[in-house]
Amino acid sequence: MSDDSLPAPAPVRTAAVIPAAGRGVRLGPGAPKALRTLGGTPMLIHAVRALAASRSVSLVVVVAPPDGAAEVKSLLDAHALPDRTDFVVVPGGETRQESVKLGLDALPPGHDIVLVHDAARPLVPVDTVDAVIEAVREGAPAVVPGLPLADTVKEVEPAAVPGGPEPVVATPERARLRAVQTPQGFDRATLLRAHETVTDEVTDDAGMVERLGLTVVVVPGHEEAFKVTRPLDLVLAEAVLARRRLNDGY
Ligand SMILES: Nc1ccn([C@@H]2O[C@H](COP(=O)(O)OP(=O)(O)OP(=O)(O)O)[C@@H](O)[C@H]2O)c(=O)n1
Ligand SMILES: C[C@](O)(CO)[C@H](O)COP(=O)(O)O
């Protein structure tokens, strides 16, 4: 039985934190990775647009290179972004984990779902963003997009000398493995607790939630949400962008 005199529940609001403070050492010398261009536009702007394309995302916190917050603010001002979204820029830290924490510290109250998305994944489709948000809305405290692996993976004993042979310890069953991407989505309180509690270095935010003993779920990722890490990834990203521009006027 419904009671029309009760106020409608407040809509669940979503914020996104975009860590963009990395140097991009594996990409080679040049500007900080997030500021390098893809199709003439900084990678960070692509990533911000990808998240702001979701109608659920009302706030984007960009975590800029430690001495680059002013430059990032100017970049956001200079590029067209949706009016319905607010943007905040904060300086980042030494590690990804530190940068995400600094982004979380800048979140105002009122957003119950928080996404964390690498600036280095500039081409994630909005459907992937929305699928992650939806899974959190449905009650999962932590959600990651992931894809099955194409390669067989070996666990090894690290080489005694750099470049030396590495004894294989195990071959995990490939069908049970997923390569995880971002945006990773969280119930806000869970993500804040993870960042307050976990002190050792973890390579993704969902991994921190796992350490709290909570369940993380994987939803289907997308091959275009790949991370631009090495020079060959830039070639692929330019090709994907060129195809989108040709097909969709992106
Ligand atoms: N101190 C850091 C390190 C990384 N990142 C961000 O975390 C995301 C994923 O990191 P990765 O792709 O590894 O970027 P880099 O750390 O820049 O790469 P590299 O390890 O090659 O230097 C990127 O958007 C990167 O800007 C960050 O905000 N702060
Ligand atoms: C968060 C992440 O993109 C999920 O795949 C990844 O763990 C980041 O790792 P990196 O070594 O910092 O790029």
Side-chain angles (χ1 to χ4, degrees):
M1 194 167 67
S2 71
D3 183 343
D4 290 341
S5 65
L6 289 176
V12 179
R13 302 177 75 213
T14 300
V17 173
I18 303 190
R23 294 187 27 233
V25 173
R26 289 168 287 181
L27 199 54
K33 181 162 66 179
L35 305 183
R36 298 199 211 181
T37 58
L38 206 55
T41 302
M43 209 179 300
L44 169 64
I45 297 295
H46 287 285
V48 167
R49 284 182 174 153
L51 273 282
S54 167
R55 301 197 70 82
S56 304
V57 173
S58 52
L59 171 69
V60 175
V61 177
V62 177
V63 188
D67 55 359
E71 186 182 351
V72 166
K73 273 189 193 124
S74 310
L75 271 182
L76 294 179
D77 289 341
H79 289 83
L81 296 168
D83 287 339
R84 63 170 183 270
T85 315
D86 292 327
F87 297 93
V88 171
V89 180
V90 296
E94 276 302 305
T95 64
R96 182 185 183 283
Q97 200 161 320
E98 233 180 280
S99 293
V100 173
K101 174 76 168 73
L102 290 165
L104 295 177
D105 289 346
L107 280 180
H111 296 85
D112 297 321
I113 296 179
V114 179
L115 305 179
V116 182
H117 180 62
D118 296 330
R121 297 183 187 270
L123 300 178
V124 61
V126 68
D127 287 353
T128 306
V129 178
D130 284 334
V132 169
I133 295 170
E134 190 50 34
V136 182
R137 274 198 186 134
E138 283 172 2
V143 178
V144 299
L147 290 176
L149 273 66
D151 294 317
T152 297
V153 173
K154 304 282 183 197
E155 182 186 344
V156 297
E157 199 60 60
V161 291
E166 299 177 312
V168 171
V169 173
T171 304
E173 188 191 338
R174 188 169 74 182
R176 292 173 64 89
L177 298 178
R178 298 290 178 265
V180 304
Q181 306 175 324
T182 68
Q184 301 190 346
F186 304 89
D187 152 65
R188 177 192 178 127
T190 300
L191 182 61
L192 295 189
R193 184 151 71 88
H195 273 269
E196 275 153 19
T197 313
V198 178
T199 49
D200 47 337
E201 193 70 25
V202 182
T203 56
D204 75 333
D205 302 279
M208 301 175 77
V209 171
E210 288 166 54
R211 292 188 185 208
L212 297 181
L214 297 177
T215 300
V216 174
V217 298
V218 178
V219 297
H222 195 286
E223 57 183 5
E224 293 182 7
F226 65 90
K227 188 153 70 68
V228 175
T229 305
R230 300 184 184 83
L232 197 56
D233 301 320
L234 260 188
V235 177
L236 180 60
E238 291 286 4
V240 169
L241 193 60
R243 190 184 62 185
R244 282 190 192 178
R245 284 182 171 164
L246 195 66
N247 293 346
D248 325 326
Y250 177 82

